[in-house]
Amino acid sequence: MLCGLVGPSSLSAASPLFTVREAIKMQTFIDPYPFSPTSLLTQDVKFSPDNRFFAVVTQRGLLSTNQLESTIWVFDVRAVRQFLDHTHGAEHPEPRAVVRMRTAEIEPSITELRWLPNGKLAFLGRDKTADRSLFTLDVTTGTLRRLTPDGQDVIQFDIVKDVVAYTVAIRGHKLPKTNETVLTGQSILSLLEGESTDGAEKPVNLWILNKSRASAVMDAATGKPIQLITDMLSVSPSGRFVVVTQHADRIPETWEEYEPAFSGLSDEYQLKASAPTRSQEELLIRPKQYALVDLDVGKIEAIDAPLGEALLYYSPKRAIWTKDSRRVLLLNTFLPLEKTGESERRGRAQKSCVALFDTNSRDATCVAFLKQSGLEEYFRDGTLYLLNDAAWSQSEREVVLKYKTYGDKEGSKHSEDPTETYRSEKGVWTQVKSASAVARAPLWVGVSQDLNQPPALFASDESGGQPQQLWDPNPQLKFINLGEVSLYKWQDKAGREWIGGLIKPPDYMPGHRYPLVIQAHGFNRHEFMSVGTFTTAFAARPLAATGMLVLQIQDASDLLGTPREASVNVQGYESAIDHLVADDLVDPERVGLIGFSRSGYYALEALTKTPDLFAAATIADSDFMGYMQRLLGVDLAGDWPKKDGIAIYGSQPFGEGLKTWMQMAPAFNLDKVVAPVRIEVHDLSTVLMNWEVYAGLRLQNKPVDLIQLPDAAHVVTKPRDRLASEQGDVDWFDFWLNAHEDRDPAKAEQYERWRSFREQHRENGRPRRLSVVSP
């Protein structure tokens, strides 16, 4: 009887809340790639060649061991069909966990999952080790076999019959110290010992496994193992050739003729001729090109043209062979300009294309030019229409291209994206309406999610009926009070339209004015809101669970690198606060701000230009266009560190130009900062980059907390790093906006430090009207 008297609201109030720990242990779907080299993919799952099974990979964080755990799950297609057909007595199909691995590294423990023609799975995996190995799994017997030798860290692989091509990371070694070192022209950041190389491409050696025998591929020209910096491998069916990508060691003058994808960006993105180099730092900023490795003779031959990505054309890097190994499709590359007529040369320079490369003649022809949407659509809608994949028809007489809209797309999430078919007639490729049969998956299976719907696997039959939920990898979330996230739109005073996700507290009450935290750096309206767009510093739902509103804002990215970049984004924050206050949702005295990466610059701009708006702030692993950052970036590879500050402030920070910097650069205006600031840094380079702001605030006796996560990636992945980053912000804003302290004894020193900051705040004439509350 008592249970019957308890209403739904009471049950909801008694439910546990969504915390940072819950966010970390959530299963997320990973590794939807690589694409099949022989057929189009229409979903993120991987079907076996005989269509009996399909596989997915999930990942979760384990705080107890500070590891990332990846699991391969296999579904039986027959059982899924029976479920979709509502066959009498058919049970809800459950997946089998066939492999589970854990790693303490920043990257997943299982990647590069694919099916082999013999029905086995192949993947890169590591279990309680830093090194990745190549494994195969027989899903029927459960037999797991490691193919590559001990002591190798495998980065990429491809398998054709008995031939396996793979790359192995080159172990770093320290050069002996000398009495004199020339530092001229070297970046100070590259000289720091123990620096993280998060996201940096690394040199690898090319190896082959032939009938289980492993050997390095030797360069015929040097007699040494072939060394590459590549992000793909594609072995020909004959096992003789491997297509790779590589950075061009020089940019010829002819490459200056290639045109960027978007008009108006020629000055910034036009390729400039450069002398040859073998410096790794210099190579990494050179455009990439496809290259053909002849395994029989140990020779690398580059195609004399850049990949389209160097000029803002985007698509996956793919090399798709014909069965006889004579021809290979190369996605998103320009064609060489030498030995062509004037008209042909002009056409080749204007657009990137899907190219057909002949391994006998070494000639390349254009099958189709790439199509993609313009910058205007991207900046307005956050979407890009791009080439997604390509395939030969079964007869290999036609090429089928598949396009897809990436990003925050309105409308149906399950609509098919268009394909285009091209056929060669008398040596000329033209688009045709009819297409030969292309292998298709037996079911539609994909991951579906929304702002308030955690990611789950859905499926539908060939008729395209309403997708049904097949598997929920996070059933525990059904018993957690998640609160509600809704789309929030507003306009600033200049009429610019803004969009974000508004996260409300689980016990939200209309008419009550809540504290607000703005998280600034991207927003996807069709992605489940857990902590936010990124896992660094953002903590959307956990923050809301402490009794706050959180607004995740889409940046005004169309102004990147212009004098108005920061100020317009700050106008977006200001106008959001005004609208939320007018809507009777927010207490204007209790507003916080989180800036991560580039948006840290916008956050510091807001703290110096509109200081009275914010009661607390966090800047995480950020740049902020400061004077010290300008000096530290003097010899960084690439033009952007040299040009970025000049583009925004109009000059170098010297002479008359320094006056402009002093007026515009936030780091020169730290005297105006009122809010307590939490600065999160990761490797030593970001410690140096952010020291200017930390020291500037510290010297003025302003409350500033500097927290380093030395092993963290830019986008934090390790469980304990995530806990420090995200829970640190939950505690920080809960302290300053709610005047609440966690009773956890492990946090005693943290709160002692923050109370001293509060005294500083009062001494600076900024008393807070809130009193400390303990649970």
Side-chain angles (χ1 to χ4, degrees):
M1 184 172 65
L2 286 175
C3 291
L5 294 175
V6 178
S9 61
S10 300
L11 288 173
S12 176
S15 301
L17 303 178
F18 190 79
T19 64
V20 169
R21 291 177 181 271
E22 289 292 342
I24 292 169
K25 72 179 185 181
M26 264 187 65
Q27 295 272 20
T28 57
F29 291 95
I30 63 169
D31 188 46
Y33 304 103
F35 287 87
S36 164
T38 57
S39 64
L40 293 176
L41 284 187
T42 56
Q43 63 285 311
D44 289 342
V45 305
K46 296 178 175 65
F47 282 87
S48 61
D50 58 8
N51 288 327
R52 289 180 58 203
F53 305 102
F54 62 84
V56 295
V57 184
T58 63
Q59 176 178 280
R60 64 173 180 165
L62 303 175
L63 275 167
S64 59
T65 58
N66 198 28
Q67 293 173 315
L68 297 175
E69 180 186 80
S70 298
T71 304
I72 301 176
W73 305 86
V74 172
F75 288 79
D76 186 300
V77 170
R78 182 180 177 183
V80 174
R81 280 187 181 278
Q82 291 176 343
F83 167 71
L84 294 175
D85 294 342
H86 303 289
T87 302
H88 180 68
E91 296 181 356
H92 202 291
E94 292 293 333
R96 286 187 293 135
V98 293
V99 176
R100 183 168 282 133
M101 292 185 173
R102 300 176 178 181
T103 182
E105 302 302 307
I106 63 175
E107 297 166 334
S109 52
I110 294 176
T111 56
E112 299 284 322
L113 181 73
R114 68 189 76 180
W115 289 94
L116 302 179
N118 60 11
K120 294 180 180 179
L121 282 169
F123 63 93
L124 297 182
R126 49 185 167 192
D127 195 23
K128 304 178 182 68
T129 177
D131 290 340
R132 287 155 285 206
S133 298
L134 174 57
F135 291 90
T136 59
L137 172 75
D138 187 318
V139 297
T140 303
T141 65
T143 303
L144 183 67
R145 181 185 172 207
R146 190 179 68 186
L147 302 186
T148 50
D150 278 335
Q152 292 186 333
D153 184 16
V154 181
I155 309 301
Q156 301 107 354
F157 75 95
D158 196 21
I159 301 178
V160 174
K161 298 178 183 176
D162 292 331
V163 177
V164 179
Y166 66 100
T167 58
V168 177
I170 298 173
R171 305 291 183 183
H173 64 279
K174 291 185 178 181
L175 296 173
K177 292 185 178 180
T178 61
N179 293 330
E180 178 182 334
T181 302
V182 177
L183 299 182
T184 305
Q186 295 192 51
S187 165
I188 189 174
L189 302 178
S190 68
L191 302 177
L192 300 174
E193 291 188 6
E195 271 297 80
S196 165
T197 53
D198 171 34
E201 295 178 282
K202 304 174 182 66
V204 294
N205 286 333
L206 181 63
W207 281 65
I208 58 169
L209 270 168
N210 201 334
K211 297 180 180 179
S212 301
R213 182 181 176 183
S215 60
V217 180
M218 308 305 289
D219 190 326
T222 65
K224 298 179 180 180
I226 287 180
Q227 187 176 119
L228 304 166
I229 300 177
T230 184
D231 44 19
M232 64 151 281
L233 294 176
S234 181
V235 181
S236 66
S238 66
R240 176 180 175 181
F241 298 107
V242 179
V243 174
V244 299
T245 59
Q246 66 178 28
H247 293 273
D249 65 353
R250 74 183 186 95
I251 302 177
E253 288 187 8
T254 54
W255 286 23
E256 295 183 351
E257 298 179 39
Y258 294 117
E259 299 178 11
F262 306 114
S263 60
L265 296 177
S266 296
D267 291 342
E268 190 171 352
Y269 288 97
Q270 201 80 45
L271 298 179
K272 305 296 182 185
S274 62
T277 181
R278 298 306 302 169
S279 160
Q280 183 180 337
E281 187 178 26
E282 186 66 25
L283 272 177
L284 289 177
I285 64 168
R286 297 286 175 88
K288 292 180 180 178
Q289 57 192 149
Y290 283 113
L292 188 70
V293 181
D294 189 329
L295 297 176
D296 284 356
V297 298
K299 182 180 178 182
I300 306 176
E301 185 176 349
I303 296 176
D304 186 23
L307 288 178
E309 66 181 18
L311 292 151
L312 304 180
Y313 284 94
Y314 300 105
S315 88
K317 302 178 188 70
R318 301 282 179 263
I320 305 163
W321 290 91
T322 53
K323 295 173 185 176
D324 61 6
S325 299
R326 285 192 53 192
R327 299 174 298 163
V328 59
L329 287 172
L330 303 175
L331 272 61
N332 193 15
T333 181
F334 286 91
L335 295 182
L337 300 179
E338 298 289 352
K339 300 178 182 179
T340 57
E342 184 177 346
S343 175
E344 174 73 8
R345 186 182 183 111
R346 187 165 56 251
R348 290 185 171 201
Q350 287 178 340
K351 284 189 175 182
S352 184
C353 71
V354 175
L356 182 61
F357 183 76
D358 190 300
T359 59
N360 289 340
S361 66
R362 298 302 199 258
D363 289 336
T365 57
C366 182
V367 173
F369 289 113
L370 259 67
K371 299 174 183 177
Q372 67 183 40
S373 54
L375 282 178
E376 218 173 277
E377 182 179 351
Y378 172 69
F379 292 138
R380 184 184 68 246
D381 303 328
T383 62
L384 273 177
Y385 174 77
L386 304 172
L387 178 67
N388 187 50
D389 199 10
W392 288 103
S393 65
Q394 292 181 352
S395 65
E396 295 189 343
R397 293 182 59 247
E398 295 175 345
V399 173
V400 183
L401 306 183
K402 180 176 173 61
Y403 283 84
K404 184 176 182 178
T405 299
Y406 290 87
D408 196 8
K409 186 179 179 181
E410 289 275 23
S412 172
K413 291 172 284 182
H414 304 298
S415 61
E416 284 293 319
D417 291 293
T419 60
E420 294 180 353
T421 303
Y422 292 82
R423 182 186 300 155
S424 178
E425 301 287 351
K426 297 180 180 180
V428 179
W429 288 89
T430 56
Q431 187 173 354
V432 295
K433 289 185 178 180
S434 61
S436 301
V438 175
R440 297 284 181 177
L443 303 166
W444 180 90
V445 184
V447 177
S448 181
Q449 59 183 313
D450 220 320
L451 287 174
N452 294 293
Q453 175 194 329
L457 206 60
F458 282 69
S460 63
D461 58 25
E462 300 95 322
S463 65
Q466 182 67 28
Q468 300 181 52
Q469 182 170 309
L470 186 64
W471 180 54
D472 178 5
N474 296 291
Q476 75 279 3
L477 295 183
K478 295 177 182 176
F479 306 100
I480 293 175
N481 191 343
L482 296 174
E484 182 189 20
V485 183
S486 58
L487 199 63
Y488 193 75
K489 298 181 179 181
W490 71 98
Q491 282 189 348
D492 62 22
K493 294 178 181 178
R496 174 184 280 265
E497 295 183 348
W498 294 83
I499 188 172
L502 185 64
I503 304 97
K504 294 178 180 177
D507 59 352
Y508 172 76
M509 295 184 298
H512 180 76
R513 287 178 175 255
Y514 289 90
L516 169 70
V517 175
I518 293 173
Q519 295 187 162
H521 207 21
F523 169 66
N524 188 327
R525 75 186 75 185
H526 295 307
E527 185 175 88
F528 175 64
M529 182 67 70
S530 58
V531 295
T533 314
F534 297 99
T535 50
T536 302
F538 292 165
R541 271 196 156 99
L543 277 168
T546 68
M548 304 183 193
L549 288 172
V550 180
L551 182 65
Q552 180 78 49
I553 292 183
Q554 174 64 52
D555 305 331
S557 51
D558 56 316
L559 298 171
L560 192 68
T562 69
R564 298 178 58 226
E565 176 187 347
S567 61
V568 168
N569 278 281
V570 173
Q571 289 170 18
Y573 310 159
E574 290 181 85
S575 56
I577 295 168
D578 288 343
H579 280 80
L580 289 166
V581 170
D583 290 341
D584 206 28
L585 294 169
V586 164
D587 178 354
E589 296 293 318
R590 294 186 289 165
V591 178
L593 176 62
I594 302 174
F596 161 60
S597 194
R598 187 68 171 195
S599 68
Y601 168 39
Y602 314 151
L604 198 61
E605 175 87 357
L607 296 177
T608 55
K609 299 301 190 297
T610 56
D612 291 328
L613 276 182
F614 302 99
T618 287
I619 297 172
D621 216 39
S622 299
D623 58 3
F624 51 83
M625 306 308 300
Y627 179 76
M628 186 171 175
Q629 284 190 345
R630 179 74 176 148
L631 299 184
L632 290 170
V634 61
D635 283 314
L636 278 175
D639 288 336
W640 69 265
K642 303 178 179 68
K643 293 180 177 179
D644 212 10
I646 296 174
I648 290 174
Y649 301 135
S651 67
Q652 296 273 19
F654 306 105
E656 289 298 313
L658 180 60
K659 295 179 181 178
T660 306
W661 277 67
M662 292 179 69
Q663 180 182 358
M664 295 183 63
F668 275 118
N669 292 275
L670 297 176
D671 58 303
K672 299 179 177 66
V673 173
V674 172
V677 180
R678 184 177 194 264
I679 302 176
E680 178 186 317
V681 292
H682 296 171
D683 59 25
L684 290 177
S685 67
T686 57
V687 174
L688 284 180
M689 287 285 195
N690 286 266
W691 196 263
E692 179 178 5
V693 172
Y694 167 72
L697 295 173
R698 186 85 169 162
L699 285 171
Q700 296 179 74
N701 203 37
K702 293 176 182 284
V704 55
D705 212 14
L706 182 64
I707 305 297
Q708 185 188 14
L709 310 178
D711 295 325
H714 182 55
V715 178
V716 176
T717 58
K718 288 186 179 182
R720 291 177 190 169
D721 287 340
R722 281 192 62 182
L723 186 66
S725 179
E726 297 166 14
Q727 188 62 45
D729 269 350
V730 172
D731 292 348
W732 178 256
F733 289 103
D734 201 18
F735 178 84
W736 290 104
L737 304 186
N738 285 332
H740 173 253
E741 294 182 14
D742 192 332
R743 283 183 173 175
D744 183 352
K747 298 179 181 180
E749 188 276 333
Q750 166 181 285
Y751 288 110
E752 183 179 353
R753 188 171 69 253
W754 292 355
R755 286 187 216 107
S756 70
F757 293 163
R758 189 168 56 215
E759 290 304 313
Q760 284 181 326
H761 207 41
R762 287 171 178 161
E763 291 170 3
N764 292 338
R766 297 289 174 177
R768 298 299 295 157
R769 55 185 176 83
L770 299 173
S771 57
V772 177
V773 178
S774 294

